Amino acid sequence: MPLEDDAIMGRDSDGALNEDYCKWCYADGTYTYSNMDDLIDVCVKNMVGENFTEEQARTYMKELLPKLDYWKRYESLSDGGQFEAFKRQLIDEINALQIEGMPRLERLNALVGKYVNLEYRLPNGMNVRFLDDEKTYLGNQLECEFGGDRCFGVLADMDFILISTYEAEGTNPELVLYKKR
């Protein structure tokens, strides 16, 4: 990925730009993927379209990623599994909430606030956004167990868990839960 735009560059823990990584792979001084197959799964979903079939995108990523500096030096750059342990803890906390209709969460992906910062209508009629557009969060989208047009959106970081439902493209969002950690 060309990293010519500051808006897509990763950031160190002090907020400084890191020109070596995108904000989906490196956020707040932490590498967000320790499993290459997980990263490939996320990338493939975003690459499929007019230029790539799913098979072509997967093949391309399997050839490209091992050549990147991070994956060549993974052992020396990794955090010894601390970030994966944090993600596992978050997944367990979210599943323990037992939200009706929401399937079991299995994976959290890096998501940039700008793309998931939905505007929720409060009971008093005001609209509010809860996220920082520049920050990277952990989250996933899950299909509702009851079927229909709505999905569950799960977002979290060290400070909170946010669960919402929405329709295609994030339309008509409804806040289900906002919980401080």
Side-chain angles (χ1 to χ4, degrees), residues 82-154:
Q82 291 176 352
F83 187 64
E84 286 304 310
F86 171 69
K87 285 178 16 179
R88 183 80 252 153
Q89 177 185 349
L90 267 178
I91 289 169
D92 291 344
E93 285 180 40
I94 292 164
N95 285 330
L97 295 170
Q98 298 183 337
I99 304 293
E100 186 176 1
M102 188 175 94
R104 184 166 178 74
L105 179 65
E106 299 294 334
R107 180 184 302 175
L108 289 169
N109 302 309
L111 301 169
V112 176
K114 176 179 174 181
Y115 300 104
V116 294
N117 196 5
L118 302 178
E119 187 172 83
Y120 300 95
R121 186 163 192 84
L122 298 178
N124 66 5
M126 291 182 61
N127 293 328
V128 64
R129 293 179 189 265
F130 292 101
L131 306 177
D132 179 340
D133 285 350
E134 300 302 315
K135 190 171 175 186
T136 302
Y137 299 93
L138 294 171
N140 208 333
Q141 177 176 292
L142 305 168
E143 291 186 23
C144 181
E145 292 180 333
F146 302 135
D149 296 340
R150 295 192 74 79
C151 293
F152 281 94
V154 176

Side-chain angles (χ1 to χ4, degrees), residues 118 141 148-152 164-174:
L118 302 178
Q141 177 176 292
D149 296 340
R150 295 192 74 79
C151 293
F152 281 94
S164 64
T165 63
Y166 47 81
E167 294 172 4
E169 307 295 322
T171 58
N172 300 317
E174 292 181 18

Side-chain angles (χ1 to χ4, degrees), residues 31-66:
Y31 296 97
T32 58
Y33 290 95
S34 62
N35 181 309
M36 193 180 304
D37 290 329
D38 287 347
L39 178 57
I40 289 171
D41 289 343
V42 170
C43 291
V44 166
K45 284 189 243 177
N46 293 302
M47 293 172 69
V48 172
E50 292 179 24
N51 298 326
F52 284 104
T53 66
E54 182 174 342
E55 184 178 319
Q56 289 171 322
R58 190 167 299 282
T59 299
Y60 175 76
M61 294 306 294
K62 282 185 177 186
E63 290 174 10
L64 174 69
L65 289 181

